Amino acid sequence: MDTSREKAWSILTQHVQEKTLLNHCLAVEAAMRAYAAKYGEDVEYWGAVGLLHDVDFEKYPEEHPGNAGNMLKPHGYTDEFIIDIESHARDWEPERSLLQKVLLGVDELTGFIIACALVRPDKSIANLQVKSVMKKMKDKAFARAVNRETIIQGAQMLEVELQEHIEFVAAALAKDLSMA
């Protein structure tokens, strides 16, 4: 199975046109690649999962992520890969693998970190302090669509402190998204 970034990006852009959603997928990819490197896992595979995790969201928002398989199977992606992508559904029942825990743990957090950076005068993730993110977590009016409980559960699943998780993901975004 080809998990190259080029192939994943080509497929994603066939199915997703909205710039905000594309940027979100890029952010999740960056965080997934960073965690894969940290855990000694396959960076290309984890990155492709992150990049394609919302491939069906624009066309099927109500059924998301349940249509990812139909979109990815014709491109040669395996059942395992599709299960990894579909596992970020919050109502997922089976025990999650490490990759699946990371995907759930970074999905909401990447968007929240970017939202925190965008309200800063310099709009920089590189200069974003963890304490600022933690303060915004308490402000329910800020980025209200972001599920804070999912962010907290993500850190718990990874068995890391929330602040450490935020710092790691923010560093990955600052490095890989050139938002510094």
Side-chain angles (χ1 to χ4, degrees), residues 46-60:
W46 283 44
V49 168
L51 193 58
L52 290 169
H53 82 286
D54 279 347
V55 69
D56 68 338
F57 187 81
E58 195 171 277
K59 292 181 182 174
Y60 305 103

Side-chain angles (χ1 to χ4, degrees), residues 7-162:
K7 179 179 178 182
W9 179 252
S10 174
I11 294 166
L12 182 66
T13 55
Q14 288 173 28
H15 297 287
V16 176
Q17 311 303 294
E18 183 184 271
K19 186 171 175 36
T20 303
L21 184 54
L22 287 171
N23 287 338
H24 168 69
C25 291
L26 289 168
V28 173
E29 175 198 22
M32 291 296 291
R33 285 177 170 276
Y35 266 118
K38 176 181 179 175
Y39 292 128
E41 298 290 340
D42 184 339
V43 174
E44 288 298 313
Y45 182 93
W46 283 44
V49 168
L51 193 58
L52 290 169
H53 82 286
D54 279 347
V55 69
D56 68 338
F57 187 81
E58 195 171 277
K59 292 181 182 174
Y60 305 103
E62 299 301 318
E63 295 93 24
H64 169 73
N67 284 296
N70 296 332
M71 298 169 117
L72 297 174
K73 274 192 188 254
H75 298 283
Y77 288 100
T78 64
D79 289 340
E80 177 186 1
F81 186 88
I82 292 164
I83 288 168
D84 285 338
I85 285 180
E86 292 178 348
S87 73
H88 79 283
R90 289 187 189 94
D91 61 353
W92 183 256
E93 292 297 327
E95 180 70 25
R96 293 178 196 272
S97 69
L98 178 59
L99 177 148
Q100 294 166 356
K101 289 175 184 178
V102 171
L103 180 58
L104 186 65
V106 302
D107 189 19
E108 292 284 311
L109 181 56
T110 55
F112 194 76
I113 289 171
I114 291 169
C116 290
L118 290 174
V119 298
R120 296 176 47 80
D122 64 0
K123 301 193 182 327
S124 170
I125 292 176
N127 298 326
L128 184 64
Q129 299 291 315
V130 172
K131 66 181 181 180
S132 298
V133 177
M134 295 299 293
K135 184 176 179 182
K136 291 289 189 190
M137 289 270 295
K138 296 175 186 172
D139 180 357
K140 300 300 181 199
F142 178 78
R144 68 181 54 157
V146 174
N147 186 322
R148 278 116 167 111
E149 189 58 34
T150 300
I151 292 173
I152 293 165
Q153 288 173 346
Q156 290 170 343
M157 281 191 303
L158 295 173
E159 299 178 4
V160 296
E161 292 295 322
L162 180 57

Side-chain angles (χ1 to χ4, degrees), residues 158-170:
L158 295 173
E159 299 178 4
V160 296
E161 292 295 322
L162 180 57
Q163 293 86 344
E164 180 184 336
H165 184 48
I166 291 168
E167 183 175 29
F168 184 85
V169 172

